[in-house]
Amino acid sequence: MAAGDMASTRLGAGRQHLRPLKRRGLVLLRLTAIVFAVLLFCEFLIYYLVIFRCSWPAVKTPADAGGLGTPEPVLRAMFLADTHLLGAVRGHWLDKLRREWQMERAFQTALWLLQPGVVFILGDVFDEGKWSSSQAWADDVGRFWKIFRHPPHVQLRAVAGNHDIGFHYQMNTYKIKRFEKVFNPERLFSWKGINFVMVNSVALEGDGCDICSGAEAELLEISHRLNCSREEHRPQECGDGQQLPASAPILLQHFPLYRRNDANCSGEDAAPPDEKYTPFKERYDALSQEASRKLLWWLRPRLVLSGHTHSACEVLHGAGVLEVSVPSFSWRNRNNPSFIMGSITPTEYALAKCYLPCEDTVLTTYCMAAGGLVLLTLVHAGLVASPFHFGWNMLRKFKTT
């Protein structure tokens, strides 16, 4: 055999050897691209696609009714509840990583798309605050500020829940002060002519304990100031201190006001049917009837927002005061977390709900992608016929018959 023929033979053999390697490289590249695309969609893009559909509700202003004068400022407020950041005792590292990533992406996406002026968290910010050590608490707080970081012009405030400071028999001054050191301890918060009253509902046990007595005395003082703000001519007993805006307050707390159960709650994020008719235990599932009456009488709120139940509910109290129970913001507690968006003026408010991506949707997407990857691998290995070729052959047979 001539030297040229031998060289051509060797070159042809080399090319034949390289073809399978190229095919394998292309298949590997395709698999990598699919994995990257699925991860990008499920862990990042899906939050933008879902939250982009949310919009701030329109609220009536005097200008809408043909009134004259300066339009009332509208405050855009987000209301979250029961984030339950896992701690060192009950939180598995993988569970913590997953849930915290979900909440971080949801919150940061909502901030960027919706641009609220203030964010309220309605208790149970942490899962293990009721028993965590000083070091564990510091670690949890550090993770919280990473997840819920926000620009300086956005205010973030929170009320204490039973997981933050413990139920009545677990709470103490140290735990309350520790929580208030992280979040502003101000009970009465006024902004843009709107009054918010932030209540430590765990302390409304009504048994006369020092913490409970102090909480009630503070609420009575707030009630006095609110009543003075409603007076057209300021009475002498109101003093010369700074006057509050003449606006009925919005009440924010962790425990809901007393209701028998969730039987009258509706919607896709209400309690499941097997839980709706379970009676609420006073001072555990909801405030006592006495504490609820006191809050409504003392503060005369125009709106109440609460958490604790992890499910949605709307209840009318007394003379038509609406209470909205905000579902949990954590996928550990719900398949379909959500938050409330409020457009608020000193005299009016409008609420809308913004749902986050469903856990089922993400898991289904991953399962379908995994099935597609397995099928692609089997087709490449020759263990399964390509669906395209199989369909083409079936079509040819059908045409020939």
mmCIF file of all heavy atoms in Angstrom, residues 16 38 56 95 113 124 177 202 204 209 212 219 261 300 305 377 398:
data_model
loop_
_atom_site.group_PDB
_atom_site.id
_atom_site.type_symbol
_atom_site.label_atom_id
_atom_site.label_comp_id
_atom_site.label_asym_id
_atom_site.label_seq_id
_atom_site.Cartn_x
_atom_site.Cartn_y
_atom_site.Cartn_z
ATOM 1 N N GLN A 16 -13.563 9.268 11.948
ATOM 2 C CA GLN A 16 -14.640 8.413 12.443
ATOM 3 C C GLN A 16 -14.603 8.309 13.966
ATOM 4 O O GLN A 16 -15.638 8.193 14.623
ATOM 5 C CB GLN A 16 -14.532 7.020 11.817
ATOM 6 C CG GLN A 16 -14.880 7.001 10.345
ATOM 7 C CD GLN A 16 -14.732 5.605 9.746
ATOM 8 O OE1 GLN A 16 -14.302 4.685 10.431
ATOM 9 N NE2 GLN A 16 -15.057 5.485 8.459
ATOM 10 N N VAL A 38 -33.798 25.517 33.016
ATOM 11 C CA VAL A 38 -34.825 25.150 33.999
ATOM 12 C C VAL A 38 -34.531 25.795 35.345
ATOM 13 O O VAL A 38 -35.430 26.331 36.011
ATOM 14 C CB VAL A 38 -34.917 23.616 34.123
ATOM 15 C CG1 VAL A 38 -35.835 23.224 35.282
ATOM 16 C CG2 VAL A 38 -35.434 23.010 32.829
ATOM 17 N N TRP A 56 -50.995 47.686 42.201
ATOM 18 C CA TRP A 56 -51.558 48.374 43.353
ATOM 19 C C TRP A 56 -53.027 48.706 43.105
ATOM 20 O O TRP A 56 -53.389 49.172 42.024
ATOM 21 C CB TRP A 56 -50.780 49.660 43.639
ATOM 22 C CG TRP A 56 -49.379 49.398 44.096
ATOM 23 C CD1 TRP A 56 -48.251 49.463 43.342
ATOM 24 C CD2 TRP A 56 -48.976 49.005 45.406
ATOM 25 N NE1 TRP A 56 -47.158 49.139 44.100
ATOM 26 C CE2 TRP A 56 -47.565 48.856 45.376
ATOM 27 C CE3 TRP A 56 -49.652 48.775 46.601
ATOM 28 C CZ2 TRP A 56 -46.832 48.477 46.495
ATOM 29 C CZ3 TRP A 56 -48.926 48.399 47.722
ATOM 30 C CH2 TRP A 56 -47.540 48.258 47.664
ATOM 31 N N ASP A 95 -33.483 22.578 54.139
ATOM 32 C CA ASP A 95 -34.799 23.225 54.237
ATOM 33 C C ASP A 95 -34.629 24.738 54.388
ATOM 34 O O ASP A 95 -35.322 25.529 53.751
ATOM 35 C CB ASP A 95 -35.561 22.639 55.430
ATOM 36 C CG ASP A 95 -37.048 22.971 55.379
ATOM 37 O OD1 ASP A 95 -37.506 23.464 54.331
ATOM 38 O OD2 ASP A 95 -37.747 22.742 56.379
ATOM 39 N N LEU A 113 -40.264 45.421 41.560
ATOM 40 C CA LEU A 113 -41.378 45.628 40.642
ATOM 41 C C LEU A 113 -42.448 46.573 41.201
ATOM 42 O O LEU A 113 -43.005 47.389 40.467
ATOM 43 C CB LEU A 113 -42.034 44.285 40.296
ATOM 44 C CG LEU A 113 -41.249 43.337 39.388
ATOM 45 C CD1 LEU A 113 -41.992 42.019 39.243
ATOM 46 C CD2 LEU A 113 -41.022 43.955 38.011
ATOM 47 N N ASP A 124 -44.341 36.352 63.995
ATOM 48 C CA ASP A 124 -43.663 35.090 63.698
ATOM 49 C C ASP A 124 -42.649 35.288 62.582
ATOM 50 O O ASP A 124 -42.588 34.533 61.601
ATOM 51 C CB ASP A 124 -44.661 33.988 63.350
ATOM 52 C CG ASP A 124 -45.318 33.388 64.584
ATOM 53 O OD1 ASP A 124 -44.977 33.810 65.709
ATOM 54 O OD2 ASP A 124 -46.175 32.494 64.436
ATOM 55 N N LYS A 177 -37.555 42.813 74.642
ATOM 56 C CA LYS A 177 -36.549 43.849 74.358
ATOM 57 C C LYS A 177 -35.625 43.402 73.234
ATOM 58 O O LYS A 177 -35.194 44.223 72.402
ATOM 59 C CB LYS A 177 -35.739 44.147 75.624
ATOM 60 C CG LYS A 177 -36.552 44.777 76.755
ATOM 61 C CD LYS A 177 -37.081 46.137 76.375
ATOM 62 C CE LYS A 177 -37.833 46.786 77.523
ATOM 63 N NZ LYS A 177 -38.465 48.066 77.119
ATOM 64 N N VAL A 202 -49.570 39.075 71.945
ATOM 65 C CA VAL A 202 -49.247 38.012 72.903
ATOM 66 C C VAL A 202 -49.423 38.514 74.335
ATOM 67 O O VAL A 202 -49.712 37.735 75.254
ATOM 68 C CB VAL A 202 -47.805 37.512 72.681
ATOM 69 C CG1 VAL A 202 -47.474 36.352 73.615
ATOM 70 C CG2 VAL A 202 -47.597 37.082 71.237
ATOM 71 N N LEU A 204 -51.758 40.443 75.434
ATOM 72 C CA LEU A 204 -53.151 40.765 75.774
ATOM 73 C C LEU A 204 -53.846 39.563 76.401
ATOM 74 O O LEU A 204 -54.965 39.203 76.035
ATOM 75 C CB LEU A 204 -53.893 41.230 74.516
ATOM 76 C CG LEU A 204 -53.347 42.493 73.856
ATOM 77 C CD1 LEU A 204 -54.193 42.870 72.650
ATOM 78 C CD2 LEU A 204 -53.298 43.652 74.847
ATOM 79 N N CYS A 209 -50.656 40.315 84.529
ATOM 80 C CA CYS A 209 -49.202 40.191 84.681
ATOM 81 C C CYS A 209 -48.547 41.533 84.353
ATOM 82 O O CYS A 209 -49.149 42.388 83.704
ATOM 83 C CB CYS A 209 -48.653 39.082 83.794
ATOM 84 S SG CYS A 209 -48.598 39.484 82.026
ATOM 85 N N CYS A 212 -48.446 42.335 80.677
ATOM 86 C CA CYS A 212 -49.796 42.557 80.155
ATOM 87 C C CYS A 212 -50.365 43.895 80.637
ATOM 88 O O CYS A 212 -50.983 44.639 79.861
ATOM 89 C CB CYS A 212 -50.716 41.422 80.587
ATOM 90 S SG CYS A 212 -50.213 39.802 79.962
ATOM 91 N N LEU A 219 -51.656 50.966 75.465
ATOM 92 C CA LEU A 219 -52.755 51.061 74.514
ATOM 93 C C LEU A 219 -53.779 52.116 74.941
ATOM 94 O O LEU A 219 -54.349 52.818 74.102
ATOM 95 C CB LEU A 219 -53.430 49.701 74.354
ATOM 96 C CG LEU A 219 -52.635 48.656 73.562
ATOM 97 C CD1 LEU A 219 -53.315 47.291 73.628
ATOM 98 C CD2 LEU A 219 -52.468 49.088 72.106
ATOM 99 N N ASN A 261 -64.132 30.239 64.319
ATOM 100 C CA ASN A 261 -63.326 29.367 63.461
ATOM 101 C C ASN A 261 -63.196 30.049 62.099
ATOM 102 O O ASN A 261 -63.527 31.221 61.956
ATOM 103 C CB ASN A 261 -63.971 27.969 63.320
ATOM 104 C CG ASN A 261 -65.444 28.055 62.952
ATOM 105 O OD1 ASN A 261 -65.857 28.932 62.193
ATOM 106 N ND2 ASN A 261 -66.248 27.148 63.497
ATOM 107 N N ARG A 300 -60.845 52.104 67.981
ATOM 108 C CA ARG A 300 -61.801 52.375 66.901
ATOM 109 C C ARG A 300 -61.117 52.370 65.525
ATOM 110 O O ARG A 300 -61.138 53.359 64.784
ATOM 111 C CB ARG A 300 -62.507 53.707 67.144
ATOM 112 C CG ARG A 300 -63.488 53.651 68.299
ATOM 113 C CD ARG A 300 -64.312 54.918 68.361
ATOM 114 N NE ARG A 300 -63.571 55.999 69.013
ATOM 115 C CZ ARG A 300 -63.971 57.267 69.012
ATOM 116 N NH1 ARG A 300 -65.092 57.606 68.384
ATOM 117 N NH2 ARG A 300 -63.261 58.201 69.622
ATOM 118 N N LEU A 305 -55.371 44.163 60.376
ATOM 119 C CA LEU A 305 -54.627 43.124 59.659
ATOM 120 C C LEU A 305 -53.894 42.253 60.665
ATOM 121 O O LEU A 305 -53.272 42.764 61.610
ATOM 122 C CB LEU A 305 -53.641 43.730 58.666
ATOM 123 C CG LEU A 305 -54.296 44.436 57.487
ATOM 124 C CD1 LEU A 305 -53.970 45.917 57.512
ATOM 125 C CD2 LEU A 305 -53.862 43.836 56.156
ATOM 126 N N THR A 377 -31.256 11.351 27.027
ATOM 127 C CA THR A 377 -30.087 10.497 27.266
ATOM 128 C C THR A 377 -30.298 9.112 26.686
ATOM 129 O O THR A 377 -29.402 8.525 26.059
ATOM 130 C CB THR A 377 -29.812 10.408 28.778
ATOM 131 O OG1 THR A 377 -29.648 11.719 29.313
ATOM 132 C CG2 THR A 377 -28.564 9.596 29.055
ATOM 133 N N PHE A 398 -48.825 5.484 7.686
ATOM 134 C CA PHE A 398 -50.229 5.864 7.555
ATOM 135 C C PHE A 398 -50.523 6.342 6.136
ATOM 136 O O PHE A 398 -51.572 6.034 5.554
ATOM 137 C CB PHE A 398 -50.564 6.992 8.554
ATOM 138 C CG PHE A 398 -51.954 7.505 8.445
ATOM 139 C CD1 PHE A 398 -53.025 6.766 8.955
ATOM 140 C CD2 PHE A 398 -52.214 8.715 7.817
ATOM 141 C CE1 PHE A 398 -54.329 7.248 8.844
ATOM 142 C CE2 PHE A 398 -53.514 9.182 7.703
ATOM 143 C CZ PHE A 398 -54.573 8.450 8.218
#
